[in-house]
Amino acid sequence: MLSNRQIKLIQSLKQKKFRNEYQMFVAEGEKIAKEIIEHQSFEVETIYATAEWLSLNSKLLTSGISICEVTEKELKKISFLSTPNQVLLLLKITKLKEEQPDWTIAIEKLQDPGNLGTIIRVADWFGISQIVLSEDSVDVYNPKVIQATMGSIARVAVEYKDLDQWISNQNRPVYAAVLGGENLYQTNFESKGVILLGNESKGLSTQILSKVSHRLEIPRRGGAESLNVSVACSIMSSEIMRQISLR
């Protein structure tokens, strides 16, 4: 049975200040819950789930995990979704290991939760395990971001950095998506690098652009002024991984 204290705690995690204070966040839904538990990406504080979900997923439930069986009515009290989906995880925010994979997606001043969630899915699809965001970007633990990842948050590490300094310290080529750059499809990509993207409306700042090694443009044939940042990320990632797969 849910206590008022549990309800108050979980509901408070809609706000970033309380996620930071308690160092916890929420993930909801059957697919996301299974991915996170199976990959052990985050430490599970408590699983709140219906009896049906607990019965069907008993093999996932290892010893030591706190479980709170709830009714559908109780789940509605703590869910951030308009239609709750049988299970909600209360998770601890974990400190990430400082590792440098072959490829990283870096983004300056990303603001939209849906865009970040989609970019995390894109990274997961193309096997890119790290995303670096400027410190003034949207919070990765925002419930809308977590939901939009559809479970890919379990396999992609998202970090916040002073992007100017981080790019300056790179020993890999940095490929920035800009208008008026070199044709993406005429670029020979190296085996390691950084895909750099900018703010949804303003793009990349002059300061950040001054640090990049390659400025690339996705060629346009129609009349649209720009591409959504997650679409641009997907196109660049696809071309890079296509070239790498042919070597």
Side-chain angles (χ1 to χ4, degrees), residues 165-176:
Q165 181 179 356
W166 183 82
I167 290 174
S168 297
N169 293 336
Q170 287 302 301
N171 56 8
R172 300 172 289 175
V174 178
Y175 300 94

Side-chain angles (χ1 to χ4, degrees), residues 9-231:
L9 169 63
I10 293 168
Q11 284 296 317
S12 74
L13 299 178
K14 285 183 179 179
Q15 299 181 53
K16 182 179 179 180
K17 67 176 182 178
F18 291 114
R19 293 194 293 271
N20 289 341
E21 179 180 341
Y22 298 124
Q23 286 295 290
M24 289 190 287
F25 70 103
V26 167
E28 296 189 66
E30 295 179 71
K31 185 179 188 304
I32 295 175
K34 285 182 181 179
E35 299 253 12
I36 288 175
I37 294 171
E38 286 177 346
H39 287 85
Q40 300 180 345
S41 315
F42 300 95
E43 184 178 346
V44 179
E45 177 74 15
T46 308
I47 298 174
Y48 297 89
T50 62
E52 179 184 2
W53 189 90
L54 292 171
S55 175
L56 291 172
N57 296 278
S58 58
K59 292 181 180 179
L60 283 177
L61 309 177
T62 58
S63 60
I65 296 181
S66 173
I67 297 170
C68 180
E69 183 179 318
V70 294
T71 64
E72 291 186 2
K73 184 177 180 180
E74 287 177 318
L75 195 58
K76 286 181 180 179
K77 293 181 180 180
I78 56 174
S79 175
F80 300 158
L81 303 177
S82 56
T83 306
N85 192 350
Q86 294 207 325
V87 58
L88 179 150
L89 303 183
L90 182 60
L91 302 162
K92 293 184 179 180
I93 294 174
T94 54
K95 186 173 177 60
L96 299 168
K97 295 179 181 179
E98 294 286 335
E99 296 179 350
Q100 180 175 287
D102 289 346
W103 283 91
T104 299
I105 295 169
I107 314 170
E108 183 184 22
K109 295 184 179 180
L110 186 68
Q111 298 300 305
D112 184 78
N115 281 337
L116 178 53
T118 302
I119 289 169
I120 292 170
R121 289 180 69 186
V122 168
D124 188 23
W125 180 266
F126 289 107
I128 299 171
S129 61
Q130 182 189 53
I131 294 174
V132 170
L133 300 172
S134 62
E135 293 167 332
D136 49 1
S137 293
V138 62
D139 180 22
V140 67
Y141 300 112
N142 180 311
K144 292 180 180 178
V145 175
I146 299 298
Q147 208 62 32
T149 71
M150 293 300 291
S152 289
I153 189 67
R155 289 174 295 275
V156 178
V158 179
E159 305 173 39
Y160 291 83
K161 301 284 187 183
D162 178 329
L163 202 58
D164 189 355
Q165 181 179 356
W166 183 82
I167 290 174
S168 297
N169 293 336
Q170 287 302 301
N171 56 8
R172 300 172 289 175
V174 178
Y175 300 94
V178 297
L179 292 174
E182 178 187 350
N183 188 320
L184 170 72
Y185 300 111
Q186 295 174 357
T187 302
N188 292 318
F189 291 95
E190 296 187 28
S191 58
K192 300 179 181 181
V194 175
I195 299 168
L196 179 62
L197 303 158
N199 172 265
E200 289 94 337
S201 60
K202 298 179 181 178
L204 289 162
S205 65
T206 304
Q207 177 71 13
I208 294 293
L209 269 176
S210 68
K211 306 291 178 66
V212 308
S213 53
H214 300 77
R215 301 186 185 195
L216 306 181
E217 180 178 44
I218 298 168
R220 172 178 56 183
R221 296 190 65 182
E225 289 186 0
S226 63
L227 285 172
N228 175 277
V229 64
S230 62
V231 174

